Amino acid sequence: MPAAACGPVDGTVEVVDPGLPGERPARCVAVVGVSEKVFAGHFPGFAIFPGVCVVEYVQRGALATMPEREPGGRWVLAAVESSRFLSPVYPGDELTSEYVWSRKDGGWRCRASAATGRGPAAQIRLRFENRDAPGPVAGAGERSEQDRGADAG
Amino acid sequence: MITVDEIKRMLPHRYPMLLVDRVTELVPGERASGLKAVTCNEPWYEGMPDTATEEDYHYPWTVLIESWCHVAGVLVTWDRPNPDVRSGKAMLLGGIADAEFHRPVVPGDVVEHHVRLARQVGETYVFEGESLVGKETALTIGRLTMTMRPASDLTAPPVPDPL
């Protein structure tokens, strides 16, 4: 994880329980402060936390709770596979989140639930990939070009 | 071409959450394209230490999705201005499916968002599209749902994703 994470949220995510894959989910908490920078513009006179900012907090909790990573790996968010926003989040809300992790095609995927004191706020599935993982076998692309050349010839 | 002053008559979003600079194409009820210039001077980069790497400056994917959403917002509100949620409506994100991140976006890039309206059910809109930097695809969005709700409604949960 980059040392200086930049994003649209101002708070920090605390890991309440790192969890145990296959046994119990990881749990995190973050406070959506009244002074979050996004509220000034979203919206003037009616502050409501953007859905993408909920995803941002959940992404940070995911990076903090991802199970054993290969040493030297560079894990990045590859996709928001799905996200359903169930209820609004407002200034001052405490956002709790749970993460169930599974491996998929060499990457890690989590199913996360985020909630405020009023109930479920979002259900989010994220996929992370290791950008420093070994790439495809060298020469595979050249082979296919040669095959095409042979077919054309 | 729709400029920022006109966009601000359509959308209630304001700094630092107005993330579209120009709408370059709009076919009502169908599609829209718009531009977002990415700069190191955006608030997400405030406080970046001098030790930050090039990777640290990758534009947050969540913010890029929001920027794409604002082009969708203009497509929906261009002919019925909604500049104040207190008297109008709030555009709420209902859901996202298959948002894939391909090429990181960095300061100096101008992102071109393409939004297509796939379906409309009452005040719920389903979009799809992608974001490009030059010829390279940075982001693809399989499906994104937004709902227009009056601010007074907002103690209740949003309309469920009809799909």
Side-chain angles (χ1 to χ4, degrees):
Chain A
M1 182 168 166
C6 73
V9 301
D10 297 327
T12 51
V13 173
E14 271 186 53
V15 178
V16 170
D17 181 355
L20 201 56
E23 284 201 24
R24 71 175 189 278
R27 285 169 42 233
C28 292
V29 66
V31 173
V32 178
V34 299
S35 58
E36 289 266 2
K37 64 165 75 71
V38 295
F39 285 134
H42 194 284
F43 300 98
F46 193 97
I48 180 165
F49 204 48
V52 298
C53 292
V54 175
V55 176
E56 180 72 29
Y57 271 127
V58 168
Q59 185 204 177
R60 295 182 183 203
L63 283 165
T65 60
M66 191 186 297
E68 15 95 23
R69 296 180 236 185
E70 289 81 23
R74 185 167 65 91
W75 288 87
V76 300
L77 186 64
V80 175
E81 294 186 340
S82 65
S83 185
R84 291 177 62 101
F85 300 101
L86 305 168
S87 68
V89 177
Y90 296 114
D93 279 347
E94 186 177 83
L95 198 65
T96 56
S97 46
E98 288 196 357
Y99 306 80
V100 175
W101 286 98
S102 58
R103 294 227 64 151
K104 183 188 176 179
D105 301 332
W108 278 107
R109 184 216 250 151
C110 69
R111 307 175 87 92
S113 322
T116 65
R118 293 176 304 281
Q123 283 164 0
I124 300 172
R125 281 192 293 131
L126 302 176
R127 188 176 79 241
F128 293 86
E129 287 171 3
N130 183 359
R131 288 290 146 85
D132 283 349
V137 173
E142 295 165 286
R143 266 207 300 284
S144 65
E145 278 186 49
Q146 285 167 9
D147 287 346
R148 284 204 293 277
D151 287 345
Chain B
M1 180 172 92
I2 304 176
T3 50
V4 167
D5 56 310
E6 293 167 297
I7 292 170
K8 284 172 101 165
R9 286 192 275 276
M10 298 167 191
L11 297 183
H13 302 67
R14 295 294 180 267
Y15 182 87
M17 282 301 273
L18 180 56
L19 301 176
V20 58
D21 295 311
R22 186 184 300 169
V23 171
T24 51
E25 182 197 30
L26 193 147
V27 177
E30 270 191 42
R31 66 178 189 275
S33 299
L35 302 179
K36 169 77 180 81
V38 174
T39 170
C40 64
N41 219 34
E42 294 190 40
W44 342 114
Y45 296 123
E46 186 181 0
M48 290 290 274
D50 291 352
T51 50
T53 64
E54 187 195 341
E55 187 195 3
D56 291 332
Y57 281 92
H58 289 174
Y59 202 63
W61 292 116
T62 50
V63 180
L64 191 69
I65 291 174
E66 179 73 15
S67 175
W68 185 92
C69 285
H70 294 177
V71 176
V74 172
L75 178 57
V76 161
T77 60
W78 74 277
D79 60 343
R80 39 176 185 151
N82 184 47
D84 187 340
V85 304
R86 285 165 293 187
S87 53
K89 296 186 176 181
M91 210 165 55
L92 295 186
L93 191 49
I96 304 171
D98 300 318
E100 304 259 335
F101 310 124
H102 306 287
R103 174 230 195 258
V105 173
V106 293
D109 287 343
V110 177
V111 179
E112 187 176 5
H113 296 303
H114 298 284
V115 174
R116 294 176 289 284
L117 179 63
R119 259 182 79 166
Q120 178 183 348
V121 180
E123 286 278 41
T124 296
Y125 300 84
V126 184
F127 303 98
E128 63 180 35
E130 57 280 332
S131 305
L132 309 177
V133 176
K135 292 195 169 88
E136 296 180 54
T137 301
L139 164 70
T140 49
I141 298 204
R143 188 180 82 218
L144 188 143
T145 307
M146 294 195 320
T147 304
M148 301 287 286
R149 306 281 306 276
S152 55
D153 255 21
L154 280 175
T155 46
V159 175
D161 184 346
L163 302 181

